[in-house]
Amino acid sequence: EAGVAQSPRYKIIEKRQSVAFWCNPISGHATLYWYQQILGQGPKLLIQFQNNGVVDDSQLPKDRFSAERLKGVDSTLKIQPAKLEDSAVYLCASSSQGGLYSNQPQHFGDGTRLSIL
Amino acid sequence: GENVEQHPSTLSVQEGDSAVIKCTYSDSASNYFPWYKQELGKGPQLIIDIRSNVGEKKDQRIAVTLNKTAKHFSLHITETQPEDSAVYFCAAKSSGDKLTFGTGTRLAVRP
């Protein structure tokens, strides 16, 4: 089966500009996650969707970050305005089922590497 | 919230030797523990996972052990090969369906 697709692979912008990332999960996967991975660290969850509803966005900096998953399939993550500390790899993952007891594995895309100048 | 600590941060082994990476977690309600391998420029790839009702799981050269009482779990790679060189992350899933990752272990396998 096709994996999680993300684009673009790389993005360079200046601080205070805006940027958007796109994710297409594995076909049929109801749960979609966006993670931020800063160099030398493990991924950190930003937001989780179950179908087109938000399950957890407690760690999303809502003053500058936004995400949507219209129609419960593709998702976009936006940053506006970007700050220097937003330089990171933004990873999208999907799983077939979410929930406390589902324990379905999360499958990751290759991410978008964002550099802020 | 959950806190996952991972050791060592770097590990260098001779080809053919074994490698062990250890993680501890803080939330006793955590019930799912995956391990991911991340190569340069790639996303994390799931290599093995274990659920809280199992103490050990093995898949060819890779095995994971879980000690719920002590709240720690370990990854064991036997007969290491150069292609095992990568960064390895442990993770724990606690209440709320959230995965918390460790800080990673950079494994280098010397030919």
Side-chain angles (χ1 to χ4, degrees):
Chain A
E1 64 182 359
V4 176
Q6 290 190 246
S7 67
R9 288 299 317 276
Y10 305 93
K11 191 72 178 179
I12 301 173
I13 63 172
E14 295 185 348
K15 60 183 179 183
R16 291 188 289 274
Q17 287 187 326
S18 62
V19 64
F21 315 123
W22 173 82
C23 172
N24 181 241
I26 292 172
S27 178
H29 279 194
T31 310
L32 185 148
Y33 313 80
W34 281 102
Y35 287 85
Q36 180 192 59
Q37 186 175 26
I38 293 173
L39 188 64
Q41 299 182 18
K44 185 186 83 171
L45 180 69
L46 292 175
I47 188 167
Q48 176 185 343
F49 292 93
Q50 179 76 18
N51 296 308
N52 61 350
V54 175
V55 174
D56 182 354
D57 64 356
S58 58
Q59 297 194 89
L60 187 73
K62 298 180 188 63
D63 58 333
R64 299 183 300 106
F65 286 64
S66 65
E68 61 182 10
R69 191 184 184 197
L70 300 176
K71 301 180 182 178
V73 180
D74 293 4
S75 177
T76 56
L77 176 69
K78 297 179 181 178
I79 308 175
Q80 181 179 12
K83 291 185 175 181
L84 292 175
E85 60 259 35
D86 298 333
S87 292
V89 175
Y90 290 84
L91 295 163
C92 179
S94 70
S95 66
S96 59
Q97 183 180 353
L100 176 60
Y101 301 106
S102 70
N103 291 337
Q104 292 300 310
Q106 295 184 23
H107 301 274
F108 284 80
D110 286 337
T112 297
R113 183 175 298 275
L114 176 65
S115 297
I116 311 295
L117 304 178
Chain B
E2 175 65 281
N3 182 48
V4 177
E5 295 190 357
Q6 182 172 347
H7 300 281
S9 57
T10 59
L11 180 59
S12 180
V13 299
Q14 193 71 36
E15 181 178 359
D17 287 349
S18 295
V20 180
I21 302 170
K22 299 182 179 182
C23 290
T24 60
Y25 61 98
S26 60
D27 187 350
S28 56
S30 290
N31 60 2
Y32 174 65
F33 307 90
W35 286 87
Y36 287 86
K37 175 184 181 182
Q38 189 171 27
E39 296 176 293
L40 193 62
K42 299 285 189 180
Q45 178 189 10
L46 180 70
I47 56 172
I48 196 167
D49 57 11
I50 191 167
R51 288 158 176 80
S52 58
N53 58 345
V54 176
E56 184 174 357
K57 183 177 178 180
K58 188 174 182 180
D59 182 5
Q60 299 181 16
R61 297 185 297 109
I62 295 173
V64 58
T65 59
L66 171 64
N67 184 326
K68 288 178 58 181
T69 302
K71 289 190 282 187
H72 67 71
F73 55 114
S74 300
L75 177 71
H76 304 252
I77 305 174
T78 59
E79 301 172 22
T80 54
Q81 301 167 3
E83 51 264 39
D84 294 330
S85 296
V87 179
Y88 291 81
F89 290 97
C90 63
K93 182 179 170 187
S94 57
S95 57
D97 192 30
K98 178 181 171 182
L99 266 186
T100 300
F101 284 80
T103 49
T105 296
R106 183 173 300 277
L107 174 64
V109 180
R110 305 186 304 273

